[in-house]
Amino acid sequence: MRLAAYLSRSRHGVFYFRWPIPARLHPDRKRGHVRLSLRTRCPAMAQRLSRVLVLSGQSQLASASASGMRYDEIRGQVAQHLQEQLARFKAGVMESGPPDADRQVLMRNICAMLGKNWSDHADQIGADQAAQQVRAFCEHRGIDPDSLAPNVRQGLNEALVHGVGAFWQEAAGFLDSLERFDLNAALPAGAAVAAAPGDAHPSAHVSYQDVLAEYLTELQRTGQVRGKTADSKREALALLGEITDSKPVAAMTKADARRVKDVLLRYPKNRNKMAATKGKPLSDVLDLPGVETIATRTVNAYISALQTFFGWAVSHGHAAENIFDGTRVKLSRQAKEQNRQAFTDDQLKLLFKHLTENPDRLLRNQDHKWISLIGMFTGMRLNEIAQLDLVDTQQGDDGLWFIRVTDEGSPNKRLKNSASRRLVPLHDRLVAAGLPAFVEDRRKRGSARLFPALSYSTQNGYGRNPGRWFNDSLLPALGMQDAGLVFHSLRHTMATKLARADVPDTQVKAILGHEQQGVTFSSYFHGFRPAQLKAAIDKFDF
């Protein structure tokens, strides 16, 4: 029986329930937990007791969070929710066209109706319907509506009325803009009336939200980025709009790029999670004493996302230049070394021993064992491994075993980019360790996925649990808690060792799922066969 993440067993076999307490609710503003003995050694009984405690814990946390919300936090929750809804609305219109005439009339009626306070709004649509709107919003944002203090509920009511009114006004204005073709306004001052074909002129009258909706729609259609990468891009673009007050893309200058860089260098880590910064305006969260800022590598990740966006904007006529070119922050030598940290041969030998022989009983889960070994001997990304289906591990007609990395099969499978789709041959030591036998055992149990016990989250896919065990339990227990060593270091170790073994760069990229460079490879090459990569991957040794 698979135990839930919040259950643990003592060395005497007694089950304990562990429930985290967020820092914002702790008296000392630090993370903590409650640990409670369930007084049973029966796994089934522990599972049943823990379900009751989980429901109680979720209810108590939701009540404490909601009752303690400030008014600016309420407005922040409403604004974030409606911004997401508006972006989806605009993307849908750009893809499928405007709604029909009846729908547009209804939208304008809603705009007129919502230009009121909460009492007038409730009188007009009925108190029950108004209360249902609040309850629906709370359910969507994970807030218990019954736990709201009276003043908090009133603030939420008013914020919803005005926020939803602003949403429909923006939506209606967006639809109106699609009906206008002001060709003269689209031309820069002094431009010739008859521009040469192919000349690109930035459209200063196009709003930031419209350009953003067009860009995100294209990314979604083409599948260029997915999962956490897509979320990171949206976060960076939302911050750009916040810093520049959603200035039109065509009007942004190098001065705006310098301002964005300055903000990023002072930007707090986990802004939307920490009590000191959550729900507060940008001007109030910069340079807070005692609040950690994002790492330099994260700053560069934001700038890279903005640089890519502006590159797209230039090529599509929305901007005259890429204002973020040359703005990345130079990493210190120490930061570079941490970023490039790889496991040594001695560390790999120690990891392999504990993953296969388990002398200190650090390993209690077969999923953890095989996910770690696959990562060690293939260089695959954590979620690529965790989401594998049984059919993804195959033996070819030539007898070679390989893993098919794909987003096809079980629901929620996803890849970082198109280059991630590949065939990775199994290293000889991975076969000798018994991976094919493990796959066959799982197949006999009737499961579709190789690791069916792993749960899915939209942010981390299936890899959260094994990643935490590897980073927070196994590495510290083996004395490898250096800041630069994490599960992803296995991937860097594979790249480093193959390069030192004189494996051609094109084959290293094929094994790791990196984009190939050059017209020949990007346009006409469709991947190496497993047999071609087998000799290369077997050069990984320690």
Side-chain angles (χ1 to χ4, degrees):
M1 175 182 292
R2 173 179 174 267
L3 298 178
Y6 38 76
L7 282 179
S8 62
R9 193 184 313 203
S10 72
R11 59 192 179 93
H12 302 294
V14 178
F15 283 95
Y16 279 77
F17 176 85
R18 184 180 183 277
W19 188 251
I21 305 298
R24 68 181 187 278
L25 301 179
H26 195 281
D28 298 326
R29 291 295 177 181
K30 62 182 182 180
R31 296 180 65 182
H33 66 271
V34 174
R35 190 168 184 263
L36 177 68
S37 172
L38 298 182
R39 300 183 180 182
T40 180
R41 290 182 172 86
C42 173
M45 177 61 73
Q47 293 276 32
R48 288 195 292 271
L49 291 172
S50 67
R51 292 191 189 104
V52 177
L53 292 173
V54 166
L55 291 175
S56 176
Q58 290 173 337
S59 175
Q60 293 299 321
L61 288 182
S63 298
S65 299
S67 60
M69 289 176 67
R70 292 159 45 96
Y71 182 67
D72 55 359
E73 292 177 334
I74 295 171
R75 287 182 59 85
Q77 288 270 0
V78 173
Q80 183 179 6
H81 172 69
L82 294 175
Q83 285 168 354
E84 294 169 355
Q85 297 293 325
L86 183 62
R88 281 194 286 269
F89 171 80
K90 289 183 176 181
V93 170
M94 296 301 291
E95 180 176 1
S96 305
D100 58 33
D102 291 339
R103 171 80 170 167
Q104 294 193 42
V105 170
L106 177 61
M107 288 172 54
R108 285 166 172 76
N109 289 339
I110 293 175
C111 287
M113 181 179 65
L114 286 171
K116 308 172 181 297
N117 59 35
W118 174 256
S119 299
D120 293 340
H121 172 66
D123 290 341
Q124 187 158 2
I125 69 170
D128 290 342
Q129 179 64 24
Q132 181 59 35
Q133 290 179 354
V134 175
R135 186 170 294 275
F137 168 80
C138 290
E139 290 177 356
H140 185 79
R141 302 297 293 184
I143 300 172
D144 180 6
D146 296 327
S147 67
L148 294 173
N151 62 318
V152 175
R153 177 181 291 275
Q154 181 63 27
L156 177 58
N157 291 342
E158 298 292 347
L160 272 176
V161 170
H162 297 303
V164 174
F167 168 87
W168 285 114
Q169 288 173 0
E170 286 287 331
F174 174 70
L175 294 178
D176 289 340
S177 70
L178 298 179
E179 298 177 0
R180 297 190 299 270
F181 283 86
D182 191 351
L183 302 181
N184 291 324
L187 293 173
V193 173
D199 285 355
H201 299 288
S203 302
H205 69 290
V206 181
S207 72
Y208 176 71
Q209 289 83 359
D210 292 346
V211 176
L212 183 60
E214 182 183 344
Y215 175 64
L216 294 177
T217 299
E218 181 172 317
L219 291 184
Q220 182 179 4
R221 285 178 175 176
T222 58
Q224 296 178 45
V225 292
R226 305 172 186 181
K228 294 179 69 173
T229 305
D231 294 338
S232 298
K233 281 186 176 290
R234 292 190 185 95
E235 185 176 348
L237 293 168
L239 183 59
L240 174 63
E242 186 177 9
I243 295 172
T244 62
D245 199 23
S246 296
K247 179 190 293 188
V249 172
M252 293 187 189
T253 64
K254 282 284 188 180
D256 292 303
R258 289 194 296 271
R259 183 183 170 204
V260 169
K261 182 177 179 179
D262 176 69
V263 169
L264 287 172
L265 291 171
R266 302 151 57 202
Y267 195 67
K269 185 178 180 180
N270 296 324
R271 176 189 177 188
N272 296 321
K273 297 179 181 179
M274 294 181 57
T277 56
K278 183 179 178 182
K280 295 183 179 180
L282 182 64
S283 58
D284 291 350
V285 301
L286 302 178
D287 301 321
L288 288 177
V291 174
E292 184 181 359
T293 57
I294 59 177
T296 304
R297 291 189 299 273
T298 308
V299 172
N300 282 338
Y302 273 91
I303 293 176
S304 178
L306 298 177
Q307 192 175 15
T308 302
F309 168 65
F310 260 84
W312 173 90
V314 170
S315 65
H316 286 72
H318 293 301
E321 63 172 334
N322 192 330
I323 64 174
F324 286 96
D325 279 345
T327 58
R328 292 168 66 90
V329 181
K330 185 177 181 180
L331 290 174
S332 66
R333 178 176 297 180
Q334 180 181 5
K336 287 181 179 179
E337 289 302 319
Q338 287 185 349
N339 192 35
R340 297 173 179 173
Q341 190 93 0
F343 290 100
T344 65
D345 281 3
D346 287 342
Q347 289 172 331
L348 289 173
K349 291 175 183 176
L350 186 61
L351 279 171
F352 184 76
K353 177 180 180 179
H354 282 271
L355 289 171
T356 55
E357 300 175 18
N358 199 20
D360 297 337
R361 299 188 61 81
L362 300 176
L363 181 69
R364 299 184 179 183
N365 187 312
Q366 287 294 297
D367 289 357
H368 292 164
K369 169 185 175 178
W370 288 109
I371 288 173
S372 301
L373 287 174
I374 293 172
M376 180 182 294
F377 288 104
T378 67
M380 288 170 59
R381 299 176 179 93
L382 174 58
N383 192 59
E384 289 177 342
I385 303 170
Q387 69 182 7
L388 285 172
D389 288 335
L390 284 172
V391 296
D392 293 332
T393 303
Q394 303 177 12
Q395 187 175 28
D397 294 336
D398 54 3
L400 291 180
W401 285 91
F402 62 90
I403 292 176
R404 184 183 64 144
V405 184
T406 177
D407 55 359
E408 300 174 356
S410 300
N412 299 322
K413 291 179 72 174
R414 65 193 189 195
L415 299 178
K416 183 175 182 179
N417 50 50
S418 58
S420 302
R421 187 176 289 104
R422 63 198 188 278
L423 301 179
V424 183
L426 294 193
H427 194 285
D428 282 345
R429 293 181 66 176
L430 195 55
V431 175
L435 179 59
F438 173 73
V439 173
E440 182 59 29
D441 179 68
R442 287 290 165 94
R443 183 176 286 112
K444 290 178 180 178
R445 299 186 185 189
S447 173
R449 292 176 48 220
L450 184 56
F451 306 106
L454 298 180
S455 58
Y456 174 80
S457 72
T458 55
Q459 184 176 8
N460 299 294
Y462 290 103
R464 183 177 183 179
N465 175 271
R468 281 188 169 182
W469 173 80
F470 189 91
N471 298 336
D472 300 339
S473 297
L474 180 63
L475 292 184
L478 299 180
M480 303 182 198
Q481 59 267 36
D482 292 347
L485 285 177
V486 291
F487 187 94
H488 197 74
S489 300
L490 295 172
R491 181 171 170 83
H492 177 65
T493 305
M494 172 64 73
T496 301
K497 281 189 164 290
L498 293 187
R500 291 175 179 174
D502 296 324
V503 175
D505 184 61
T506 52
Q507 293 192 358
V508 176
K509 289 179 176 178
I511 291 170
L512 297 178
H514 287 160
E515 194 76 39
Q516 300 283 2
Q517 302 298 317
V519 174
T520 300
F521 273 97
S522 61
S523 300
Y524 304 110
F525 185 71
H526 299 290
F528 291 97
R529 297 188 304 276
Q532 293 176 285
L533 298 178
K534 183 66 169 68
I537 203 167
D538 280 342
K539 289 184 178 181
F540 174 84
D541 194 18
F542 53 86

